[in-house]
Structures are given as C-alpha cells and as structure tokens.
Amino acid sequence: MATMCSWGKGLESVSKFPYARDRFVECYFWAVGTLYEPQHSLARMTFAKVAALITMIDDIYDAYGTLDELQILTDSAER
C-alpha cells in the first residue's frame, strides 16, 4: 500500500486536479478484495492504478469539463 500512496503523491493529482477525489487507498483495498493471493501483487497494483485513473477521469467528466471539451476527450478515447 505504501507503493500505491507514493505513486499517488508522485502524480501530484491533488495540486493538478483539485476537483478530483483522492481515492488511491480505496482503490488499492478494492484490488486487495478482488486479488488477495500473494502471488498477484503486480496485478493488484495495476488494478488499483487503473481504478484510480478511471476515477479521476470520471471526476473530470462530472465536475470540470465543458461540453465541448468533454466531446474532444470522448472522441480521443474512442480512437
């Protein structure tokens, strides 16, 4: 979990995205509940990081972007 917290701090998401929720620990515990065997530690970290990034993108859609900006983001994601 320390690796996940340091990864989250390294992103500087709190200063760059003040409107986004800081859910790194929550995403890690979600991954632990899904992939609890010790041999799946890399999969847990990957799962938690992807979940945290998806949460941040969701917050961008919900709280920050204008309709035109979100359309551009959606189009780029679809490509």
Side-chain angles (χ1 to χ4, degrees), residues 7-63:
W7 177 79
K9 287 180 184 176
L11 285 178
E12 298 178 2
S13 63
V14 175
S15 63
K16 292 180 182 176
F17 307 107
Y19 48 85
R21 295 170 285 176
D22 185 11
R23 298 261 175 123
F24 300 113
V25 175
E26 179 181 338
C27 291
Y28 180 77
F29 280 121
W30 188 24
V32 168
T34 307
L35 302 161
Y36 52 87
E37 293 92 356
Q39 68 267 23
H40 298 302
S41 62
L42 180 60
R44 268 195 307 273
M45 291 302 296
T46 304
F47 183 89
K49 289 177 181 181
V50 168
L53 291 174
I54 289 172
T55 301
M56 290 175 65
I57 291 170
D58 180 62
D59 290 340
I60 290 171
Y61 270 87
D62 290 344

